[in-house]
Amino acid sequence: MRVVIYPPNNQGVVQLPIDAIHKRRSVRKYEETEVTDEQLNQVLETLTFAPSWANKQGWQVMVVRSPETKAKVSEVLEHNPGQKAVAAAPVLLAVCMDPEASGQLPGRDYFMVDAGILMDHIMLEAADLGLGTVFIGMFDEEKVRGALGVPEPWRIVGLTPLGVPAKMPGERPRNELSDMVHYETW
Ligand SMILES: Cc1cc2nc3c(=O)[nH]c(=O)nc-3n(C[C@H](O)[C@H](O)[C@H](O)COP(=O)(O)O)c2cc1C
């Protein structure tokens, strides 16, 4: 396990989840094994740590364990590769944002950015606990709203199943770092 100590030479040592960043995968097959309340609470704690535009924290997260509700959401995720995972995993999380409460500047809607960061925090904390997730962002929002009963003006930005992986996917191909980074000039 690779652990980075931050801040260096400081007594208040914190272990950053570099290992979780490396081992996280999009998990689409789950065991029936329950997620304990302790595990769930640890994942949800990330809501109190994630950064957001002007610290607005314009999010609310729905936690669903009900098989009926998960089945309803899964049903409306037609053609999504994560469709079955939503019904199969013991927990479904839905990250919802209030755009007005999240901060907007002309041409820049920060609620999507804030939601993406929060989703990443959730996924990394889950990976650290040995749990699987997959960011599900492709769906008919009005149908998911109906299935979950999320009121306006809340936008549903991301869903993820949460559970013990039945199958851990391999590493997906990634672009070369040298093709993505510009030093000093573009
Ligand atoms: C914003 C966003 C939306 C995504 N939406 C979906 C989705 O709707 N369904 C799905 O199965 N995977 C979805 N994914 C997962 C990606 O397909 C996955 O992250 C990518 O293939 C890389 O694989 P990895 O996560 O295992 O590294 C989404 C990921 C992101 C970041």
Side-chain angles (χ1 to χ4, degrees):
M1 174 171 162
R2 191 174 140 204
V3 167
V4 174
I5 306 301
Y6 177 88
N9 306 322
N10 190 313
Q11 298 216 318
V13 166
V14 176
Q15 296 186 349
L16 290 180
I18 294 291
D19 196 43
I21 289 172
H22 290 184
K23 75 181 181 190
R24 185 213 55 81
R25 300 280 182 277
S26 288
V27 176
R28 298 184 180 86
K29 290 200 187 314
Y30 290 88
E31 302 282 356
E32 283 178 15
T33 319
E34 269 309 324
V35 170
T36 66
D37 285 342
E38 195 186 356
Q39 288 171 317
L40 177 62
N41 289 338
Q42 201 165 323
V43 169
L44 294 175
E45 279 276 315
T46 57
L47 272 71
T48 67
F49 288 94
S52 57
W53 190 85
N55 200 25
K56 295 279 190 181
Q57 305 161 72
W59 47 63
Q60 304 267 306
V61 171
M62 259 192 90
V63 180
V64 179
R65 286 191 189 268
S66 151
E68 292 76 25
T69 310
K70 284 187 292 163
K72 270 202 238 170
V73 176
S74 172
E75 207 172 293
V76 300
L77 293 180
E78 297 136 337
H79 312 303
N80 194 302
Q83 180 177 28
K84 284 188 183 153
V86 164
V91 176
L92 170 67
L93 301 178
V95 168
C96 306
M97 302 295 302
D98 179 349
E100 295 290 323
S102 300
Q104 290 165 311
L105 289 179
R108 295 181 83 80
D109 285 333
Y110 290 102
F111 78 93
M112 294 295 271
V113 180
D114 292 352
I117 293 171
L118 183 62
M119 284 289 292
D120 201 42
H121 271 52
I122 287 171
M123 294 190 295
L124 291 177
E125 186 67 41
D128 204 41
L129 292 171
L131 297 174
T133 56
V134 51
F135 193 139
I136 295 180
M138 181 181 68
F139 49 79
D140 180 322
E141 194 174 342
E142 290 319 303
K143 287 185 181 172
V144 174
R145 182 188 297 289
L148 285 173
V150 173
E152 301 275 1
W154 293 94
R155 299 288 309 273
I156 307 164
V157 180
L159 307 172
T160 179
L162 178 71
V164 175
K167 189 175 160 221
M168 210 51 194
E171 251 176 70
R172 299 297 314 279
R174 292 292 200 253
N175 297 334
E176 290 295 328
L177 196 55
S178 56
D179 292 334
M180 299 190 280
V181 182
H182 305 265
Y183 292 99
E184 315 302 343
T185 57
W186 185 267

